[in-house]
Amino acid sequence: MPTVRLRDAGEYPEPIQKLFEVAKAWFKYDFAQPPAMSRVMAWDPELGAFHGRAMKRAMTPGEFSRAEKEMVAAVVSGVNACAY
Amino acid sequence: MAGDAPWYEAALLVGVTNALNVVADSPLESLEPASPSAEAQTVFTEIRAFYDRADVPVAFRRVASDPGYLADLWGAARRVFTDNTLTRRHKEALAFAVSVTTRSEFGTAFHLAEMRRLGVGERGVMEVLGVTQMFSSYTKIADTLQLEPDMDHIAAADPSPAPGGTPPPPRTRPPEAP
């Protein structure tokens, strides 16, 4: 169980809610609520903006495809024993 | 990356990569035989050819005093790094990410060199490093807050059987109570 209460999307200010829509498009999935990590990163929009842009830049297809990069991400998460 | 096959392949690769790294990064220099047996030399020849290099990676040299074990370890390593569902190039990228994440000095240098040898440019290296770094961040944030998985339902379960096997019989629903 999370150690903090994850706020619903509706509890965030409107500009952040627009960013949640962008996240939905990124994942190409219609979440009932934005993923927990999106809501956590939105807690500090200044950090979230930098971090999110760096993540998007890293995940954008280049020499490796998005799918190949998602697998790199999954492997790193697995090695870090992160269930999320 | 649809279906389970690439994910099984990636997981097996992670395991073997880590197995090689733990031996290579440990203070085990004294285990390297000064004069490897002819049987070990035969395996070394295969290893040099596979990696197209003059030397044998330290992870293999350190287990060469047992040529049978060396041959099996090499067989496993060759199997997981050979083109299959995933390309060898992508597999080296995964092994590099694993090695960076586990702070393996040997694995990081070795798989970085292999990525470059297989044609990955500096941009590609940076892409893999960026993904590795970003997800080393996300995982720790998630762990600190003990976030629970909420995206695991996005991908459908793969109904295909094990390799060479037969599909499971269709599940029948138990009769409903009257």
Side-chain angles (χ1 to χ4, degrees):
Chain A
M1 191 169 182
T3 56
V4 292
R5 183 177 73 81
L6 294 170
R7 274 59 175 175
D8 284 351
E11 296 180 67
Y12 284 87
E14 202 178 318
I16 300 294
Q17 292 185 36
K18 285 182 182 160
L19 290 178
F20 289 148
E21 292 301 314
V22 174
K24 198 185 284 185
W26 172 258
F27 289 111
K28 296 179 181 162
Y29 191 84
D30 190 16
F31 296 98
Q33 281 292 326
M37 184 56 71
S38 296
R39 287 182 277 161
V40 169
M41 297 310 287
W43 187 265
D44 181 344
E46 198 172 329
L47 166 69
F50 284 124
H51 205 283
R53 275 199 301 271
M55 194 280 287
K56 199 169 176 184
R57 191 177 178 88
M59 295 300 287
T60 297
E63 284 196 36
F64 290 92
S65 67
R66 167 94 185 267
E68 286 175 321
K69 291 178 174 187
E70 288 288 351
M71 184 170 272
V72 171
V75 160
V76 169
S77 302
V79 170
N80 277 327
C82 178
Y84 180 78
Chain B
M1 301 298 165
D4 289 341
W7 297 97
Y8 273 105
E9 212 170 300
L12 297 172
L13 174 93
V14 170
V16 173
T17 297
N18 198 50
L20 296 174
N21 288 354
V22 293
V23 169
D25 288 324
S26 299
L28 298 170
E29 294 86 349
S30 63
L31 294 185
E32 283 184 39
S35 304
S37 65
E39 200 180 344
Q41 291 289 2
T42 302
V43 179
F44 283 177
T45 301
E46 284 183 29
I47 295 171
R48 288 192 195 96
F50 187 79
Y51 293 116
D52 191 23
R53 53 193 287 166
D55 65 322
V56 174
V58 67
F60 299 108
R61 295 202 309 266
R62 290 185 176 174
V63 299
S65 61
D66 183 344
Y69 181 81
L70 167 66
D72 287 337
L73 177 68
W74 164 238
R78 181 182 54 205
R79 173 65 182 165
V80 297
F81 279 99
T82 297
D83 283 318
N84 199 345
T85 306
L86 305 177
T87 65
R88 188 169 172 188
R89 174 179 171 276
H90 185 204
K91 289 175 172 188
E92 285 297 344
L94 295 173
F96 174 67
V98 169
S99 300
V100 171
T101 305
T102 55
R103 287 82 160 164
S104 169
E105 201 171 318
F106 161 80
T108 298
F110 180 73
H111 296 294
L112 175 59
E114 277 296 286
M115 281 170 69
R116 286 175 168 154
R117 187 178 72 80
L118 296 172
V120 178
E122 290 313 295
R123 180 183 169 189
V125 170
M126 190 57 223
E127 287 172 14
V128 178
L129 188 62
V131 175
T132 302
Q133 189 166 39
M134 283 297 105
F135 280 83
S136 292
S137 174
Y138 284 126
T139 52
K140 294 309 170 195
I141 294 168
D143 286 348
T144 301
L145 296 178
Q146 296 179 35
L147 301 184
E148 291 160 349
D150 58 2
M151 291 192 279
D152 49 338
H153 59 287
I154 293 178
D158 181 353
S160 64
T166 51
R171 288 185 181 170
T172 51
R173 292 170 61 183
E176 290 180 18

